[in-house]
Amino acid sequence: MKYRITHATLYRYSQMVELCQNEARLQPRDFWRQQCQSSRFEILPAPIDFYERIDYFGNHAAYFAIQEPHSQLIVTAISEVTTFPEQHAFDLFNRLSWEQARSLLQETPMLGQSQSQQGQNQSQSQLQNQDQNLKILDARQYVIDSPMVVVTQELADYAQPSFQPNRALVDVVRDLMQRIYHDFIYDPSFTTIATPLSEVLCHRRGVCQDFAHLAIGCLRAYGMAARYISGYVETLPLPGKARLVGADASHAWFSVFIPGTGWLDFDPTNNTLPLDQHITLAWGRDYADVTPLKGIAFGGGQHTLSVSVDVMRLE
């Protein structure tokens, strides 16, 4: 599938802003499931400074600064992305138990210098094992607490019914995804970016960001590696209805690391495995690592924010 994604953000200020500095993560990633053919920004007022970089997690990040007085800021990112459904390698037949996965994440030794220097003399099997160990070591950073996901006993208690003894990790995660989908109400009016997970869990309400954080916290409570994914999902109009331009929105889901398979994505908001209708922007430990647009403004007084996202299928 090929998509054109237009993500427009509009800030309106009650007073003039003299200077603002911003960072955007609005350019889709390239990885085995998708390829970004093109991506560009349209920024008004025009920035005096603009540069792009790859952040610690491998996401595209763009920095820009505006140094002229302005009462509104418009940031539009336009990208074209191809997804490859035929390349999905969801190994749902990996029967590794969650206890075995936890042991591997906890016990895999660090790669010593002497080991790395033996690469030329190692067999293919040894090199494959070494590569797998490196992937496990990298996944460890997604086991510990992060700024917006702190493991609590409440999260462990909610997750417990899914973590049956000797259950395959794939089945654990799928069961957890389904439980969140059925137990929680999607309510955009209930939470904000600052709403703690304890309130989401107590009131059983939230949005995709909350459900992704909830699943991540539940998995980390049992020693699993889980990360946050930001992106988009194509929404299709009802039969006989015209497609509404700009009616789509940013989306979020989560991914879990399964030793021997890799990272597998799960969407608890829709109770589905993300396939060709999900477009990935960025991933990190939680939302704080992948915020689509953030920055500081000098002046401005009060402001209003509006966001429009359009995901258009091109073929």
Side-chain angles (χ1 to χ4, degrees):
M1 299 292 184
K2 188 172 183 179
Y3 296 96
R4 178 181 296 118
I5 302 153
T6 305
H7 185 136
T9 305
L10 168 62
Y11 286 95
R12 286 193 175 94
Y13 305 100
S14 61
Q15 301 174 17
M16 298 297 288
V17 173
E18 302 298 326
L19 165 68
C20 71
Q21 299 179 352
N22 307 273
E23 189 173 64
R25 285 174 175 80
L26 291 169
Q27 297 162 283
R29 292 186 67 123
D30 287 323
F31 64 110
W32 63 268
R33 190 168 66 79
Q34 70 178 39
Q35 182 178 11
C36 181
Q37 274 76 41
S38 64
S39 186
R40 61 185 174 87
F41 284 94
E42 295 179 355
I43 303 171
L44 293 173
I48 193 172
D49 194 12
F50 181 94
Y51 68 85
E52 298 174 278
R53 65 182 179 89
I54 301 297
D55 72 8
Y56 170 80
F57 299 101
N59 305 310
H60 294 278
Y63 165 85
F64 61 94
I66 298 171
Q67 297 186 21
E68 65 176 82
H70 56 281
S71 59
Q72 69 175 26
L73 170 64
I74 305 174
V75 181
T76 304
I78 304 169
S79 306
E80 291 193 0
V81 180
T82 300
T83 60
F84 305 103
E86 71 278 4
Q87 293 187 21
H88 284 285
F90 287 99
D91 187 1
L92 300 180
F93 299 101
N94 183 325
R95 307 314 294 171
L96 187 77
S97 73
W98 67 268
E99 294 98 335
Q100 291 172 315
R102 182 174 62 183
S103 295
L104 287 169
L105 285 164
Q106 292 175 342
E107 299 169 9
T108 298
M110 298 295 290
L111 182 66
Q113 185 178 11
S114 60
Q115 290 175 285
S116 63
Q117 291 174 340
Q118 297 171 1
Q120 295 295 329
N121 301 320
Q122 289 177 322
S123 68
Q124 184 66 28
S125 176
Q126 289 174 316
L127 290 173
Q128 289 175 346
N129 289 337
Q130 181 175 304
D131 179 66
Q132 180 61 28
N133 287 348
L134 287 172
K135 291 177 180 178
I136 292 174
L137 293 173
D138 179 72
R140 281 184 179 175
Q141 64 187 310
Y142 298 100
V143 176
I144 60 177
D145 289 346
S146 54
M148 301 186 72
V149 181
V150 177
V151 171
T152 64
Q153 188 59 47
E154 291 176 300
L155 291 171
D157 290 343
Y158 178 78
Q160 192 278 326
S162 297
F163 281 85
Q164 297 298 313
N166 301 315
R167 194 177 198 180
L169 178 54
V170 168
D171 296 339
V172 167
V173 183
R174 185 156 46 184
D175 181 72
L176 178 64
M177 173 184 70
Q178 292 171 349
R179 289 177 53 225
I180 292 173
Y181 175 76
H182 291 293
D183 291 347
F184 289 77
I185 297 173
Y186 186 88
D187 185 355
S189 66
F190 180 73
T191 59
T192 68
I193 185 62
T195 302
L197 271 179
S198 58
E199 289 192 26
V200 175
L201 192 55
C202 176
H203 296 279
R204 305 291 173 102
R205 292 176 177 272
V207 294
C208 57
Q209 171 191 301
D210 303 306
F211 303 155
H213 281 159
L214 175 64
I216 291 168
C218 288
L219 290 164
R220 290 178 183 171
Y222 285 83
M224 302 298 104
R227 66 189 183 191
Y228 183 98
I229 313 291
S230 72
Y232 311 101
V233 61
E234 180 191 25
T235 56
L236 300 176
L238 295 174
K241 299 293 185 180
R243 179 178 173 276
L244 298 178
V245 176
D248 298 310
S250 297
H251 193 46
W253 56 97
F254 73 94
S255 189
V256 64
F257 181 76
I258 301 179
T261 293
W263 290 95
L264 301 185
D265 290 5
F266 296 82
D267 182 352
T269 304
N270 296 298
N271 191 27
T272 188
L273 301 180
L275 296 175
D276 54 304
Q277 289 178 282
H278 285 68
I279 299 100
T280 297
L281 271 180
W283 59 60
R285 297 165 300 168
D286 58 35
Y287 176 82
D289 289 331
V290 299
T291 308
L293 183 62
K294 61 183 178 180
I296 56 174
F298 296 90
Q302 300 297 317
H303 75 270
T304 60
L305 168 66
S306 62
V307 178
S308 171
V309 175
D310 183 47
V311 179
M312 176 182 291
R313 186 181 298 194
L314 299 181
E315 58 183 50

